[in-house]
Amino acid sequence: MLSKSAPLSDWLAWLETLSPVEIDLGLERVRKVKEQLDLVMPEHLLLVAGTNGKGSSVLMCDAILRAGGATVGAYTSPHICKYNERIVVNGEPVDDACITAAFATVDAARGDVRLTYFEFGTLAAAVIFADAGVAVWILEIGLGGRLDACNVFEPTASLITNVSLDHCDWLGDNVEAIAREKAGVMRAGRSTVFGALQVPAAIRDNAGSAGADLLCAGVDFSFDVADDNRWSWRSGVAHYGALALPGLPGRFQVANAAAVLMLLHVAGLADAIDSSLLNRVLPGLDLAGRMQTRYSLGRHWLFDVAHNPAAATELAANLADSATSASTAGIVGLLVDKDAEGVLEPLLAFVDRWVAITAASNRAMPAAELGRQLANLGQQPVLIANSVPDAVEFARRQTSESDRILVTGSFFTVAPVIECLDAAGESQDDG
């Protein structure tokens, strides 16, 4: 066992050695350790599941609740640059000492119970939130729902943003199978909000069998975007009008915001919400790695963690909306369990040349294989990079100052490129 005073980097490296597998679905082990921890649970706990839009939805929930005066703990995964991003208390990532102390608490409670990296981190977040005494916990489901570590906690209400193909090796190879897994966050007598207009039959069936109250977009709540880009939201219990668009890029973010508003209402957390509060909060939000832009090393960079076909389609729509006469180079890295063709196909029309890299994960698709698939799909030239610095340099050489470089395919692609740019920028500053 490490000391709680050991560096966070040492703890994270040690956590990766605890389980022979990165993903080990099941709740029995996590539940056993949770009971040993004997946590003081909050007044409200929200579970956020779905294929895409979970991180954005958690961010919106957190910001709206805090603006209304609530104390909030938010847990998301994975992170972009620092592990601390996963555990946020009242809008601020917790510090290293707080995390390592929680890790030590979990380790003492687990005995000989084997936990994965994600399970250990989930329980540590719960320890931190309990110690902080925040009134609302918001937990993002990492994978699926039914057997995800976050699902050991009983929600006040839950949100399923949408369902599309992703993690097929773990959740099933069709939307209905995946929907059944995500429906595992439903509870008898509690409300679950479904944020997309097309509702899989498995969602409705599981709501009925679980005895959950299912509220669906377009039926129980709705939104409308006017020609002046103001939007409105309406349900049977409330109406908000003349709302500014969320600051998070993408047309789909209004749908995410609409589902979040319904979630807060059914959870009994909407008393402080009005149009004025929403217009103070939503337009100013941003989220790393989601249509994130920056200017660095003389180039315009665009980062998006799109890693499944639905997310790539939304990214393509955003690229179409921001069409430019300039050239676009794409740096891409994918995990081997992803639908490479489904992710890449929507983007081909917007990228003039590609650089394939191996994402920073032991589940990564090798750059050479990814490059081969890219070459077979389109007519654009493809380079294979042996490292992230090589990929950054290749992309820079292929572009001018007026061009842009898209980085996409995975959190494990976006994060290393951002870190590389940060390091290169610091090196230039030092010089």
Side-chain angles (χ1 to χ4, degrees), residues 310-334:
T313 298
E314 291 292 351
L315 171 57
N318 287 327
L319 292 172
D321 289 342
S322 59
T324 173
S325 58
S327 176
T328 297
I331 297 176
V332 62
L334 294 171

Side-chain angles (χ1 to χ4, degrees), residues 291-342:
M291 288 297 292
Q292 176 188 1
T293 61
R294 70 183 275 183
Y295 186 79
S296 182
L297 302 184
R299 297 293 184 271
H300 298 276
W301 298 80
L302 173 62
F303 304 96
D304 195 273
V305 296
H307 55 275
N308 56 58
T313 298
E314 291 292 351
L315 171 57
N318 287 327
L319 292 172
D321 289 342
S322 59
T324 173
S325 58
S327 176
T328 297
I331 297 176
V332 62
L334 294 171
L335 301 188
V336 71
D337 57 351
K338 301 301 179 182
D339 176 4
E341 182 175 349

Side-chain angles (χ1 to χ4, degrees), residues 46 56-72 74 90-91 136 138 159 231 233 240 243-244 246-248 253-265 268-285:
L46 307 177
S56 301
S57 298
V58 171
L59 179 68
M60 292 182 196
C61 281
D62 179 29
I64 292 169
L65 288 171
R66 286 189 294 108
T71 56
V72 184
N90 292 325
V136 185
I138 311 171
L159 166 64
W231 67 288
W233 181 91
Y240 307 115
L243 299 175
L248 299 169
Q253 294 294 359
V254 176
N256 286 336
V260 162
L261 290 176
M262 193 72 236
L263 173 66
L264 296 179
H265 273 277
L269 290 166
D271 289 348
I273 299 176
D274 58 22
S275 295
S276 177
L277 181 147
L278 296 174
N279 280 332
R280 290 198 311 273
V281 173
L282 294 180
L285 297 180

Side-chain angles (χ1 to χ4, degrees), residues 218-261:
V219 178
D220 301 287
F221 65 98
S222 61
F223 66 91
D224 180 67
V225 181
D227 292 339
D228 62 358
N229 280 334
R230 292 278 170 170
W231 67 288
S232 60
W233 181 91
R234 184 182 301 276
S235 75
V237 295
H239 169 255
Y240 307 115
L243 299 175
L245 293 176
L248 299 169
R251 294 173 291 182
F252 58 92
Q253 294 294 359
V254 176
N256 286 336
V260 162
L261 290 176

